[in-house]
Amino acid sequence: MSTDTEHVEEGTETSLLASFRDWYHLPVLGAVILFMIWVRTQSYSRFVTEDGAPALAGVDSWYHWRTLNWTAENYPHTMPYEVWTGFPTGNYVGQFGTLYDQLIVTAAMIVGLGDPSQQTLYAVALLSIPVMAALVAIPVFYAGRRLGGTLGGLVAVVVLALAKGQFLARSTVGQLDHHTGEILFMAIAVLAMMVAVTVGEREKPIYELVADRDWTALRTPAIYSALAGVALTLYMWVWPSGVLLVGIFGAFFVVQLSLDYARGVSPDHLAFVGAVSMGVTALLMTLLIENPTMGSTSFGLLQPLLALLVAVGCLFLAWLAREWNNRDLERQYYPLAVGGLIAATLLVMWLALPDLYNATVGNAIRRMLPIGGTATDLTIVEAQPPEDFFNRVFTEFGAAFYTMLAGLAFLAIRPLFGRKFRAEHTLVIVWALFLISMAATQVRFMYYLLLAVAIVNAAFIAELVQLFNLDLERSLASLRELETYQVIVVVLVVLLLFAPLLPPLASATAWQQGKATGPQSDSITWEGSNEWLQENTPRPGNYGGANNADQLDYYGTYTPGDGDYDYPEGAYGVMSWWDYGHLITTQAERIPHSNPFQQNARSSAAFFTAESEERGELIMEAIAEGQPVADRSTEELRQAVSEGESGEPIKYVMIDYAMAGGKFGAITRWTGPGYGHYVTPQNYNGGPINASELGQVYGDLPYDDTMLSQLYFDDTNNMEHYRLVHEGADAGTATYVSYAQVDNNGQVVFLGPNNQPVPAGQGRPAVAVNQRMNPQRIAQIQNHPNYQVFDVKQAAAVKTFERVEGATITGSADEVSDPANATVAAQVELETNSGRTFNYTQRGTLAEDGSFELTVPYATNDALGVDDGYTNSSVEATGNYTVNVIASENGSIDQYSGETAVPEPAVIDGETVDVSLEAVENPSGNESAGNESSGETSESSGNETGTGDGTTANAVTPVAAEPAR
């Protein structure tokens, strides 16, 4: 023993132990916060590129990078309306450009001394997410301590720190999304409401005090209630869709007010808290209104209106209780009356105010109950329900999820054991139950559920401490008096809570998962193509030499007219799938038609699934004119376009390997018919299929006629208004394989319910179409005895196309005596930026007088460029067009041939180019007109990776069994 202890004054040891007991949680909490930051910043170097370009880990992260830069340029304002997405209308971005962005930019302003560089802003942005995640430990600790003492609060933050899954995945460095801000401010709002309702119970504000204006008695509950309202407002200021928490609090107030009155407690106390907190929220959210609609994703009418309804509802329930007393009605019937009134209100709302009903109840069902997901919601990875809920929660939280359920049960049965049951206990129970339902509805809400798992485990620990008399917060000296069974209980509880999250039981720990994060694969794949688009196409507003780019400042402020923005002449849009809209906005600084807000997803799907160029063009024209396109026939589109006023066009189309393969099934969900239609052969009669006939049977798929396939796989062959202008050479080549499962007799296997084999013709063929694979996987399929490959295609990972008028090649074959038996074809060889060559062919027929017209989209020179307001195409012709007429007359073949150049201005403006034909001697040795060359392609770039958070989920027809690996 140190001699120093012999000179300690009497009572000093007791004082030190008391101080340790009062303050030991602070260094522990600090250590947990530092641990959480370390776990989440291990991969920092992967997101810092040599050229300083951003490298982010999620789709929405790219748009937050956009809004952060916009806020830095317009500080302290955030983006009210965005014209660089959602062409041709623009969009209120709502949940992007919020308090979340202001906090990050403010921190960057401080670090950058008022003028942060791009490098400073980027570094602060990268680190802000791990820091926000670590700060969640503070409200979690204090909420846990309210339920389970200091020890319970510390258990809560340790559960939080060790958890994997959605919370960790969305809070590592590089994840520049608002999810972490949501979690932090929800935790603060719930903690603030816990305090407010407890203060209301203690101070007991009633109507008479308000009527007498006794502000002294009302000051304390009013202040805490107002702070709870401010905290709730801050949460919605980070994420407008956080209005769901208003609904959760509303449900709590209904339950607790009913319980209070039924057990003889005045509901005035809690009604005062609800009215003040929700009234403050309604007032503050009214000041934030940007888009006066009932949508939940922007600052509109829904947030203040719903908060006001809850505030008024609290006052109404308090008034109803007084009226109930005045009429000497039985208290136990009060909750039933409240439930009936709520049901009647919802019915009236459904009948008289359907917009309000859909925005509140409909939105709540879709987000919070595992029964309301739509088919299009299910195309979003993060919006899908977990396949196995209980397996998923164990993976994310270990046994802590089940101990949370025990903790909820312990809270609920407190009155049965004569223990005080506080309103904050009801609040936590209602909140936790809603979070469980939300997590079962959309997998992303697992990050919210973690808050309940952590906080409620504090109550679980507190109950065990009391049950087994484990007062671990008493003096150190008394710990020596712990019984053996008490030590065993402590060890078992620690193992139960934390062993599944730690090695050796955990397959991957939190720090391992944090270390494995990296930039999003899509952003890397698309980067080269988007950079090309930025450098080789005119700025929006300058197309065609309009010189209006100054009206579309990338960091400008815009006000829509009548709900939509009126783009200047020379503006244009880019058609792609919604997954890639933010990448086009940020990497290319061009204006996508659809985006990850899922704006215009339906019209994009209609274009890509159109089964003819004519329909695809009508859809493009209808979009420009502001006409709806989904679920309209080609004739209806033609009529709508003929009657409409032309608007600014979509000029470019971008397609990647995932759209052509795995994501195509999800694209079809947005506009009928379903995926099965596109991969069912048109000439298939439903009978058995021999493996040797696969290529013939599946050689005529509706998929092959879609705009997506004609562009991506056919390089616009035989199309009039689309030309390939760039392919992503740096991103590698995608290889697609179509194959079928066959039996030992060489017959295609048919599958019935649950993918069980059935007799031929009685189910669906076990065929997979256009599956992207790497060479190793292709080899496995090809060498497997029960799989038959019948088609292999290759294409660059990303291809960019331009819409043009197309030049019309005209000519005449006067010598042809029977034009009806003649065909004409124009062909030109082209070379891409990657060195690949391919032939474009356009075919047609002769008129009665022997004349012909062929519209072609490719030029034979590169006369126009960005300075002229046009595209600097990276795909160029190697020579002139060759035009051939093949005529069958009296059993012989006659051929007439000519050659012509097609200037680029003719392609852009739709001009006519004449060609003269001459008879070809001995044509029988020539190939038929318009034979194509497939060109050279490279090998697959490697394994296919899954889609990132928030992107379209792959949806393909599976084969019954996989080859052995």
Side-chain angles (χ1 to χ4, degrees):
M1 177 181 292
S2 169
T3 55
D4 291 341
T5 61
E6 298 176 6
H7 304 285
V8 175
E9 297 180 4
E10 185 178 355
T12 301
E13 183 178 4
T14 302
S15 177
L16 289 174
L17 291 174
S19 297
F20 176 79
R21 183 184 60 193
D22 293 338
W23 300 106
Y24 78 96
H25 62 279
L26 293 181
V28 175
L29 183 59
V32 170
I33 290 174
L34 291 176
F35 171 78
M36 292 178 69
I37 293 175
W38 170 75
V39 165
R40 289 160 172 77
T41 56
Q42 296 176 88
S43 300
Y44 180 85
S45 61
R46 296 180 186 174
F47 296 92
V48 181
T49 59
E50 294 182 0
D51 59 0
L56 299 169
V59 170
D60 288 346
S61 297
W62 282 94
Y63 198 74
H64 271 298
W65 178 238
R66 155 82 170 142
T67 56
L68 286 174
N69 279 276
W70 195 98
T71 301
E73 290 286 334
N74 298 273
Y75 189 78
H77 304 289
T78 57
M79 183 184 298
Y81 191 83
E82 171 68 291
V83 303
W84 285 80
T85 196
F87 188 88
T89 61
N91 191 31
Y92 280 102
V93 293
Q95 56 189 333
F96 293 80
T98 64
L99 176 63
Y100 167 86
D101 302 271
Q102 288 174 316
L103 290 173
I104 296 175
V105 174
T106 299
M109 288 284 183
I110 295 172
V111 174
L113 302 178
D115 186 21
S117 64
Q118 278 279 292
Q119 290 76 14
T120 298
L121 180 61
Y122 184 59
V124 171
L126 287 180
L127 295 173
S128 63
I129 306 306
V131 170
M132 282 188 186
L135 291 177
V136 175
I138 296 175
V140 164
F141 168 76
Y142 285 103
R145 189 164 76 167
R146 297 186 64 81
L147 300 180
T150 300
L151 179 62
L154 291 178
V155 168
V157 296
V158 174
V159 170
L160 181 77
L162 294 179
K164 304 171 291 181
Q166 290 291 308
F167 175 56
L168 177 59
R170 296 172 185 273
S171 60
T172 55
V173 65
Q175 287 284 357
L176 197 54
D177 208 343
H178 51 254
H179 299 304
T180 307
E182 294 174 41
I183 301 166
L184 174 61
F185 282 92
M186 174 183 267
I188 293 172
V190 171
L191 173 61
M193 189 61 74
M194 291 173 67
V195 174
V197 298
T198 302
V199 170
E201 283 185 314
R202 185 185 68 220
E203 300 295 328
K204 295 180 171 53
I206 57 175
Y207 170 74
E208 286 72 18
L209 294 176
V210 177
D212 294 340
R213 298 183 180 182
D214 188 349
W215 306 126
T216 300
L218 295 174
R219 181 183 298 112
T220 299
I223 290 175
Y224 281 98
S225 299
L227 289 175
V230 171
L232 179 57
T233 301
L234 292 177
Y235 170 56
M236 287 189 286
W237 193 356
V238 168
W239 189 47
S241 295
V243 67
L244 57 86
L245 188 58
V246 176
I248 293 174
F249 284 165
F252 153 70
F253 283 119
V254 169
V255 171
Q256 189 62 40
L257 285 168
S258 300
L259 288 176
D260 282 349
Y261 183 74
R263 61 195 178 104
V265 177
S266 172
D268 283 10
H269 315 326
L270 194 62
F272 178 86
V273 175
V276 172
S277 61
M278 293 299 165
V280 169
T281 298
L283 175 62
L284 295 178
M285 291 307 299
T286 300
L287 300 177
L288 293 173
I289 291 177
E290 291 178 349
N291 184 19
T293 66
M294 293 300 294
S296 65
T297 58
S298 61
F299 297 110
L301 299 176
L302 178 61
Q303 293 86 359
L305 183 57
L306 187 58
L308 181 62
L309 286 175
V310 174
V312 172
C314 289
L315 296 177
F316 172 78
L317 292 180
W319 170 83
L320 181 64
R322 287 175 176 264
E323 291 298 313
W324 208 268
N325 278 339
N326 294 337
R327 288 168 172 75
D328 292 328
L329 299 176
E330 294 293 334
R331 287 179 176 267
Q332 61 264 32
Y333 297 122
Y334 177 83
L336 296 177
V338 171
L341 288 172
I342 292 175
T345 301
L346 292 177
L347 178 61
V348 171
M349 186 187 302
W350 179 63
L351 294 173
L353 299 170
D355 290 342
L356 179 61
Y357 179 87
N358 291 331
T360 53
V361 180
N363 187 58
I365 291 176
R366 188 165 62 92
R367 291 180 179 270
M368 303 172 71
L369 299 177
I371 58 174
T374 64
T376 52
D377 284 339
L378 298 180
T379 66
I380 311 172
V381 172
E382 64 181 22
Q384 294 180 350
E387 293 184 5
D388 185 334
F389 176 76
F390 291 102
N391 180 65
R392 184 59 182 259
V393 294
F394 187 80
T395 300
E396 299 224 359
F397 316 124
F401 174 77
Y402 298 98
T403 54
M404 176 203 69
L405 296 180
L408 290 175
F410 284 143
L411 288 176
I413 64 176
R414 287 172 67 93
L416 299 180
F417 296 94
R419 299 173 59 194
K420 185 174 182 180
F421 184 85
R422 303 189 300 272
E424 66 178 340
H425 294 147
T426 305
L427 173 61
V428 170
I429 292 172
V430 170
W431 172 63
L433 291 177
F434 269 106
L435 294 190
I436 293 171
S437 178
M438 289 167 60
T441 304
Q442 296 187 16
V443 68
R444 67 183 176 128
F445 288 136
M446 288 288 176
Y447 59 67
Y448 278 152
L449 181 55
L450 176 60
L451 291 177
V453 169
I455 291 171
V456 177
N457 264 292
F460 173 74
I461 291 298
E463 295 297 331
L464 289 185
V465 166
Q466 180 161 334
L467 181 63
F468 293 99
N469 194 28
L470 301 173
D471 188 3
L472 302 181
E473 295 182 11
R474 58 190 171 180
S475 67
L476 289 176
S478 63
L479 290 179
R480 302 188 185 98
E481 301 175 1
L482 284 174
E483 298 289 340
T484 302
Y485 81 91
Q486 293 175 314
V487 175
I488 293 174
V489 169
V490 171
V491 172
L492 289 177
V493 170
V494 170
L495 289 176
L496 180 66
L497 282 175
F498 304 125
L501 303 175
L502 297 169
L505 295 184
S507 58
T509 61
W511 53 89
Q512 289 171 333
Q513 186 175 333
K515 188 177 181 179
T517 59
Q520 180 202 16
S521 60
D522 283 344
S523 66
I524 298 173
T525 301
W526 278 68
E527 185 175 16
S529 294
N530 280 330
E531 288 178 352
W532 180 92
L533 194 68
Q534 181 181 22
E535 296 169 0
N536 294 276
T537 61
R539 291 175 58 197
N542 282 354
Y543 195 91
N547 294 322
N548 289 322
D550 57 343
Q551 298 182 36
L552 290 172
D553 182 3
Y554 193 62
Y555 296 111
T557 300
Y558 303 91
T559 303
D562 297 329
D564 296 334
Y565 180 72
D566 186 14
Y567 284 87
E569 182 183 359
Y572 60 87
V574 179
M575 174 67 75
S576 190
W577 189 228
W578 64 260
D579 289 6
Y580 311 107
H582 292 342
L583 294 178
I584 294 170
T585 297
T586 54
Q587 291 182 339
E589 296 189 9
R590 295 298 181 263
I591 311 175
H593 173 60
S594 58
N595 48 49
F597 306 128
Q598 291 197 322
Q599 181 188 12
N600 299 325
R602 197 171 299 278
S603 52
S604 293
F607 171 78
F608 286 118
T609 58
E611 293 181 43
S612 69
E613 185 181 12
E614 179 195 11
R615 180 172 176 80
E617 276 294 277
L618 288 172
I619 288 172
M620 286 291 205
E621 293 295 330
I623 290 172
E625 296 175 9
Q627 297 280 349
V629 299
D631 303 323
R632 302 184 78 176
S633 68
T634 300
E635 182 56 38
E636 289 172 332
L637 288 171
R638 188 180 296 113
Q639 183 67 26
V641 167
S642 66
E643 296 175 353
E645 296 182 3
S646 180
E648 299 307 314
I650 293 175
K651 296 300 295 184
Y652 299 94
V653 180
M654 301 183 76
I655 302 174
D656 80 334
Y657 64 88
M659 293 168 60
K663 290 185 180 181
F664 184 76
I667 293 174
T668 65
R669 291 192 184 184
W670 286 88
T671 180
Y675 178 75
H677 162 78
Y678 295 95
V679 295
T680 300
Q682 296 183 16
N683 59 354
Y684 174 57
N685 59 12
I689 304 173
N690 190 286
S692 61
E693 301 172 345
L694 273 168
Q696 178 181 353
V697 174
Y698 278 83
D700 185 19
L701 294 178
Y703 174 89
D704 299 327
D705 296 327
T706 63
M707 291 296 291
L708 188 148
S709 180
Q710 290 187 69
L711 292 168
Y712 186 71
F713 287 120
D714 297 342
D715 290 324
T716 77
N717 196 55
N718 212 42
M719 301 182 79
E720 297 181 340
H721 304 293
Y722 294 84
R723 63 174 182 172
L724 177 67
V725 291
H726 181 264
E727 59 183 13
D730 295 336
T733 299
T735 301
Y736 300 82
V737 175
S738 298
Y739 64 99
Q741 182 180 352
V742 298
D743 59 25
N744 295 331
N745 297 319
Q747 296 289 319
V748 173
V749 175
F750 281 71
L751 302 176
N754 302 318
N755 286 336
Q756 294 301 311
V758 296
Q762 297 184 16
R764 57 182 178 83
V767 174
V769 177
N770 287 337
Q771 304 297 293
R772 181 175 179 258
M773 298 180 185
N774 60 30
Q776 293 77 19
R777 180 77 173 120
I778 295 173
Q780 287 180 335
I781 295 289
Q782 290 175 330
N783 295 327
H784 196 280
N786 293 118
Y787 286 87
Q788 176 71 43
V789 173
F790 59 88
D791 189 27
V792 177
K793 300 176 181 177
Q794 286 188 320
V798 182
K799 288 186 175 183
T800 303
F801 305 88
E802 181 184 15
R803 283 181 73 208
V804 294
E805 287 294 324
T808 299
I809 300 176
T810 63
S812 179
D814 299 332
E815 298 87 346
V816 176
S817 60
D818 186 8
N821 288 325
T823 59
V824 58
Q827 186 175 84
V828 64
E829 184 182 65
L830 299 142
E831 184 175 5
T832 71
N833 52 289
S834 63
R836 180 176 68 92
T837 60
F838 66 95
N839 288 340
Y840 165 82
T841 304
Q842 179 63 277
R843 297 178 177 84
T845 58
L846 299 184
E848 291 182 0
D849 61 357
S851 63
F852 60 85
E853 293 183 353
L854 298 174
T855 301
V856 297
Y858 290 96
T860 54
N861 63 17
D862 194 14
L864 300 175
V866 175
D867 292 340
D868 305 298
Y870 298 102
T871 308
N872 182 23
S873 177
S874 295
V875 178
E876 299 182 356
T878 61
N880 291 332
Y881 277 85
T882 299
V883 181
N884 288 305
V885 173
I886 305 295
S888 175
E889 300 183 75
N890 300 322
S892 64
I893 301 295
D894 293 330
Q895 180 175 349
Y896 304 88
S897 183
E899 189 175 292
T900 184
V902 176
E904 192 163 24
V907 168
I908 297 298
D909 298 328
E911 297 175 353
T912 299
V913 177
D914 293 326
V915 62
S916 298
L917 303 182
E918 295 181 358
V920 177
E921 297 182 3
N922 301 319
S924 59
N926 292 298
E927 297 289 339
S928 62
N931 282 341
E932 300 173 47
S933 170
S934 61
E936 297 178 0
T937 55
S938 60
E939 292 298 319
S940 172
S941 59
N943 288 317
E944 180 178 1
T945 58
T947 59
D949 248 353
T951 63
T952 297
N954 289 349
V956 297
T957 302
V959 173
E962 293 292 323
R965 297 172 183 256

